[in-house]
Amino acid sequence: IRLREPVLGVLRGRVLVRGEALPGSIVVATRVGDPQSVYGDEDDWDEDYIYNCAPGQLTDAEGTFRMLYRDAGAVHLRVRHPDGHATSDPIEVLLPPGLDVVVDVAMPTAEICGRFPIETVAEQDRKNVKVTLFPLRKASEDPFFVPGDWVSAIQWTCTTSDVGASGEFHFDYLPR
């Protein structure tokens, strides 16, 4: 039997926020049309467990990524901010057989700033005050308990901001 080495292609690019490199972001590629579920339902790409199961890699200090591929066809490329704030919408990329494909991803950005009335909290407790940003799609769920799952609360996968002495908070890099 004579075995042939597969012809490999390369999918590479950079992840940018406001034109600057985004090191440490997670880049994931999934086949278009493949079941997108790890646990039986449609995957929530803002959940941490997905990134332990899906093929991908972290961007380097220059925000670059590089993946080898064997099979040609369409993939969905998703990028998650290194702080876990949010995941980009899927970008469909066509991978031709054995070629070098370059895709740069510009992450959409927004921010939320505000002030919590810190003076309403007892002084000894103020150092413990945090503001948590919950996705609107999860507004009807209990943030401290996920039914059927005794070990992971929704709040564990949400972004928090410390509240300083002034009560001000800031969430940077949010999806549109």
Side-chain angles (χ1 to χ4, degrees), residues 54-142:
Q57 66 171 218
L58 296 175
T59 56
D60 64 16
E62 288 79 41
T64 62
F65 64 92
R66 182 176 184 269
M67 298 179 197
L68 295 176
Y69 67 91
R70 185 189 69 202
D71 299 325
V75 295
H76 278 152
L77 202 60
R78 287 179 174 83
V79 178
R80 185 165 194 205
H81 191 275
D83 293 335
H85 294 328
T87 303
S88 70
D89 289 334
I91 300 163
E92 189 167 324
V93 178
L94 183 59
L95 302 176
L99 294 180
D100 192 11
V101 177
V102 179
V103 177
D104 290 340
V105 180
M107 297 292 283
T109 60
E111 64 183 357
I112 296 176
C113 302
R115 183 182 177 284
F116 176 80
I118 196 75
E119 61 279 356
T120 63
V121 177
E123 194 161 339
Q124 69 270 18
D125 296 329
R126 291 181 185 177
K127 65 180 179 287
N128 300 320
V129 175
K130 292 181 182 286
V131 175
T132 302
L133 185 64
F134 290 92
L136 187 57
R137 70 183 182 289
K138 294 182 179 184
S140 64
E141 299 178 30
D142 184 335

Side-chain angles (χ1 to χ4, degrees), residues 1-174:
I1 296 176
R2 183 175 277 195
L3 299 177
R4 287 188 269 163
E5 285 190 34
V7 176
L8 299 178
V10 178
L11 172 59
R12 63 183 175 88
R14 289 183 73 203
V15 177
L16 307 167
V17 170
R18 297 182 186 105
E20 299 292 322
L22 186 60
S25 55
I26 302 170
V27 181
V28 175
T30 58
R31 289 283 170 187
V32 173
D34 281 355
Q36 294 182 7
S37 177
V38 175
Y39 293 105
D41 297 325
E42 176 89 11
D43 284 335
D44 180 351
W45 288 96
D46 289 330
E47 297 289 355
D48 291 330
Y49 68 83
I50 296 299
Y51 297 93
N52 296 326
C53 302
Q57 66 171 218
L58 296 175
T59 56
D60 64 16
E62 288 79 41
T64 62
F65 64 92
R66 182 176 184 269
M67 298 179 197
L68 295 176
Y69 67 91
R70 185 189 69 202
D71 299 325
V75 295
H76 278 152
L77 202 60
R78 287 179 174 83
V79 178
R80 185 165 194 205
H81 191 275
D83 293 335
H85 294 328
T87 303
S88 70
D89 289 334
I91 300 163
E92 189 167 324
V93 178
L94 183 59
L95 302 176
L99 294 180
D100 192 11
V101 177
V102 179
V103 177
D104 290 340
V105 180
M107 297 292 283
T109 60
E111 64 183 357
I112 296 176
C113 302
R115 183 182 177 284
F116 176 80
I118 196 75
E119 61 279 356
T120 63
V121 177
E123 194 161 339
Q124 69 270 18
D125 296 329
R126 291 181 185 177
K127 65 180 179 287
N128 300 320
V129 175
K130 292 181 182 286
V131 175
T132 302
L133 185 64
F134 290 92
L136 187 57
R137 70 183 182 289
K138 294 182 179 184
S140 64
E141 299 178 30
D142 184 335
F144 303 104
F145 173 72
V146 178
D149 186 352
W150 294 95
V151 296
S152 66
I154 294 169
Q155 69 174 2
W156 295 350
T157 60
C158 295
T159 305
T160 61
S161 175
D162 289 323
V163 176
S166 66
E168 293 179 359
F169 61 89
H170 182 253
F171 295 97
D172 193 19
Y173 180 76
L174 299 169

